[in-house]
């Protein structure tokens, strides 16, 4: 090493507010705990080899013993927040769908557009026609954009392939993004996203996914989870049960699209089958909330989708008051949420879901990590966790981070110990 210095030692001093520091990573924050997201005023943080080494209040700063290879950043009151954890994206897709955006402005609904062959099937057609290399290049560009916005871990779903080869192509691209080691990338097999033309029923298509595609996905080690769009007009409770049981036998836990348009028993079913998360939940019945309050299953709200499609917002306040470890993610996809902006998603958690800023931050970091089984690695800045963080512009308080809802807050982003340009 140049000058014999050890690589990657960084000290951030005089931090206005340091969020997410602790001696041990938090597994999740549930209900009333969310407001207690750790915050230290006037703080320091030490990083080595891409991991958090130590930190605390400036009043207890032990001083610098070893200056070798040490980069010192004077935060001058700027805040340090953990990088966002985006636990639900469809980042791998072929192309945007702004034509449908215009159709909706002119009065068509999302479901009407889908019924005319737009929607997911439109994206599937474009994806099948695209080479793996081109899909990889466009997906990498998107991932880098998210990283520059302060996202430090993502989940990526398949579901625009809808046949064996194209689903494998999507998941291979997602795995290649993860293999770059820039940020953690978890993958989810969503073959049951829509029923393509040529199938007689959702049940028949689901059997094909279970018998032909799932085994190939597992064989090649391409997925960490399974997902299905459990919704009227897409896949029903029977298909959901069959797929989740088959996936569980092959070691894949479930993260399920459910209750986007209707509450029809999907949430209790997913809880019964031990799903890791249930995502969307724009429409929730009282019994769904009761089930979730007593379950390990994490509810994931996707407020950018509600904003973009003009749907109800997930009742975040109700879920937190019921004791749930609510997470917030973007749902980044070309049809219902063409944005990977976690800052905006978290701010909408306050503006439209009734969360206080600290609760929304917890939902978009610690609980996002829990929804991906990545709690020991990301979501906070505890000793041993990945040094992935945002150094903000000067903020007067932690609350201001989400009060400033449309403007970027990160002046610099550090991911796994590396500053982005
Ligand atoms: O999470 N609801 C299902 N799937 C996506 C949208 C997919 C699309 O429109 O392309 C979602 O909203
Ligand atoms: Fe989604």
């Amino acid at each position: 090493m140049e000058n014999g210095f050890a690589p990657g030692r960084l000290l951030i001093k005089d931090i206005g507010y340091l969020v997410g520091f602790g001696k041990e990573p938090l597994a999740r924050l549930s209900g009333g705990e969310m407001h207690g997201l750790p915050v230290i005023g006037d703080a320091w943080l030490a990083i080595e080899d891409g991991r958090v080494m130590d930190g605390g209040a400036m009043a207890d700063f032990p001083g610098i013993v070893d200056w070798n290879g040490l980069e010192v950043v004077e935060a001058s009151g700027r805040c340090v927040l953990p990088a966002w954890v985006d636990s639900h994206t469809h980042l791998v897709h072929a192309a945007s769908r702004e034509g449908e955006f215009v159709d909706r402005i002119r009065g068509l609904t999302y479901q009407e557009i889908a019924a005319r062959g737009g929607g997911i099937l439109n994206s599937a057609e474009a994806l099948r026609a695209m080479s793996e290399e081109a899909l990889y290049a466009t997906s990498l560009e998107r991932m880098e954009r998210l990283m520059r916005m302060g996202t430090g871990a993502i989940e990526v779903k398949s579901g625009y392939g809808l046949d064996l080869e194209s689903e494998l192509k999507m998941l291979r691209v997602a795995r290649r993004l993860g293999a770059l080691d820039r940020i953690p990338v978890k993958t989810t097999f969503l073959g049951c996203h829509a029923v393509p033309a040529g199938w007689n029923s959702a049940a028949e298509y689901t059997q094909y996914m279970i018998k032909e595609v799932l085994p190939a996905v597992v064989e090649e080690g391409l997925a960490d989870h399974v997902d299905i769009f459990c919704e009227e007009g897409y896949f029903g409770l029977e298909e959901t049960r069959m797929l989740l049981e088959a996936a569980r036998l092959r070691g894949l836990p479930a993260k399920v699209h459910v209750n986007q348009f209707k509450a029809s028993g999907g949430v209790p079913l997913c809880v019964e089958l031990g799903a890791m998360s249930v995502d969307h939940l724009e429409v929730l019945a009282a019994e769904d909330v009761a089930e979730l309050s007593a379950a390990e299953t994490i509810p994931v709200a996707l407020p950018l989708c509600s904003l973009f499609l003009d749907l109800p917002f997930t009742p975040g306040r109700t879920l937190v008051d019921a004791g749930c470890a609510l997470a917030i993610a973007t749902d980044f996809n070309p049809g219902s949420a063409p944005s990977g902006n976690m800052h905006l998603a978290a701010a909408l958690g306050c503006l439209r879901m009734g969360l206080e800023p600290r609760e929304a931050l917890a939902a978009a970091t610690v609980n996002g990590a829990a929804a991906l089984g990545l709690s020991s690695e990301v979501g906070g800045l505890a000793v041993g966790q990945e040094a992935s963080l945002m150094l903000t512009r000067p903020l007067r308080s932690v609350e201001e981070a989400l009060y400033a809802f449309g403007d970027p807050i990160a002046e610099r982003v550090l991911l796994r110990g590396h500053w982005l340009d």
Side-chain angles (χ1 to χ4, degrees), residues 88 90 157 257 280 302 331 333:
H88 182 137
H90 306 250
K157 298 176 191 298
H257 280 76
H280 274 288
L302 307 168
D331 199 17
N333 76 78

Side-chain angles (χ1 to χ4, degrees), residues 125-206:
E125 204 176 306
L127 186 129
R128 287 173 182 178
M130 202 166 191
S131 72
E132 182 180 319
E133 278 318 303
L135 190 61
Y136 172 70
T138 187
S139 302
L140 176 56
E141 212 172 275
R142 282 184 207 117
M143 183 174 90
E144 288 179 335
R145 196 164 75 229
L146 267 50
M147 289 162 57
R148 286 194 294 275
M149 289 196 281
T151 295
I154 54 173
E155 181 255 19
V156 176
K157 298 176 191 298
S158 67
Y160 293 125
L162 310 182
D163 64 22
L164 176 66
E165 267 321 304
S166 312
E167 284 292 305
L168 294 179
K169 177 167 72 179
M170 285 189 80
L171 289 168
R172 285 182 191 130
V173 165
R175 278 286 190 244
R176 283 173 68 186
L177 296 176
L180 293 171
D181 278 336
R182 308 278 297 279
I183 55 173
V185 178
K186 289 280 199 165
T187 64
T188 302
F189 168 51
L190 174 57
C192 289
H193 195 192
V195 181
W199 293 92
N200 291 318
S201 66
E204 188 185 272
Y205 174 73
T206 304

Side-chain angles (χ1 to χ4, degrees), residues 258-312:
V258 65
N259 286 41
Q260 183 174 3
F261 303 113
K262 286 214 169 111
S264 37
V267 169
L269 178 68
C270 291
V271 168
E272 179 204 323
L273 296 174
M276 266 177 100
S277 72
V278 282
D279 303 38
H280 274 288
L281 314 178
E282 285 87 340
V283 184
L284 269 186
E287 60 154 317
D288 297 334
V289 177
E291 286 281 344
L292 288 169
S293 72
E296 286 288 298
T297 304
I298 293 191
V300 180
L302 307 168
L304 298 180
C305 173
S306 297
L307 180 71
F308 192 74
L309 293 188
D310 199 14
L311 300 177

Side-chain angles (χ1 to χ4, degrees), residues 32 36-37 44 62-63 91 198 299 304 307 334 399:
L37 178 71
W44 59 281
L91 174 133
L304 298 180
L307 180 71
E399 282 66 28

